[in-house]
Amino acid sequence: MVHRLSRQEARRIAVRAQLLDAPRPTDLLEVIRHLTCVQVDLTAAVAPSPEIVCWSRLGSSYSPADLEALLVDRTVVELQGMIRPAEDIALYRAELAAWPGQQPLRDWQVEIGDWVEVNRACREEILQVLRSEGPLPARELPGQLRCALALHRVDQQPQRHQAAGLHGGTR
């Protein structure tokens, strides 16, 4: 038996599933658990992406310090560009153990050794910062290193896609 939804019913389900309905949730960790992850985006046109997502769910009761506290005490962790509940890490252990595996890196079709060589200067700068500062999330790296790494990835992507027989960055 197939159940058909109207557009209005589908919208209501989507809005409710994303915690964008009333009443607002009140617990930041519960929001992250419910969403399963919050994307970390180093670009902050208005505010950092995780802060926008959390504020849009929690409203004025949200404070960026709350998210930072959850990250510091490792109740949530940053993994693969997403903030996730720490208790979910077990779900990713097999994937983490296999990385980088036998497959080429994502869409770029590049070997780890090639990536390291191409990004040597940026990598060495990042390592120097980490040696002096200790472990840091990517968002706390100096801006020029985040920008250099992001720009290099963008600059290299078209050539790598082209070399892999991909056009316009898609398969």
Side-chain angles (χ1 to χ4, degrees):
M1 174 184 218
V2 174
H3 182 78
R4 299 211 184 262
L5 297 175
S6 69
R7 287 183 183 202
Q8 185 177 10
E9 290 170 320
R11 270 190 223 107
R12 187 172 34 248
I13 290 169
V15 167
R16 201 173 284 157
Q18 287 297 311
L19 301 176
L20 293 168
D21 61 337
R24 287 185 183 271
T26 58
D27 184 86
L28 176 59
L29 180 56
E30 286 306 314
V31 167
I32 295 170
R33 282 180 176 143
H34 180 86
L35 296 175
T36 69
C37 64
V38 176
Q39 182 176 354
V40 174
D41 188 349
L42 298 178
T43 305
V46 175
S49 177
E51 291 181 17
I52 293 171
V53 170
C54 294
W55 179 86
S56 68
R57 273 60 176 189
L58 296 163
S60 61
S61 69
Y62 171 72
S63 167
D66 297 338
L67 181 57
E68 188 62 32
L70 290 177
L71 285 161
V72 168
D73 72 12
R74 298 187 187 225
T75 304
V76 298
V77 295
E78 187 178 327
L79 174 66
Q80 299 174 336
M82 302 286 184
I83 295 173
R84 302 174 186 275
E87 65 258 20
D88 287 357
I89 292 302
L91 300 172
Y92 301 95
R93 281 198 177 130
E95 183 180 336
L96 293 170
W99 192 86
Q102 301 300 316
Q103 298 298 323
L105 279 179
R106 296 188 185 150
D107 294 339
W108 290 4
Q109 305 291 318
V110 64
E111 298 284 331
I112 294 289
D114 294 341
W115 187 93
V116 170
E117 189 56 41
V118 168
N119 291 282
R120 181 173 301 286
C122 184
R123 184 180 67 82
E124 287 174 2
E125 273 189 77
I126 291 170
L127 288 173
Q128 183 178 359
V129 169
L130 294 175
R131 284 184 191 111
S132 66
E133 305 280 328
L136 295 172
R139 69 184 178 285
E140 290 184 20
L141 286 171
Q144 73 273 12
L145 289 179
R146 289 193 319 262
C147 289
L149 188 55
L151 287 174
H152 185 75
R153 288 178 179 166
V154 169
D155 289 346
Q156 293 299 311
Q157 195 168 355
Q159 291 87 356
R160 290 185 178 151
H161 282 298
Q162 196 172 42
L166 305 173
H167 302 286
T170 59
R171 290 181 185 208

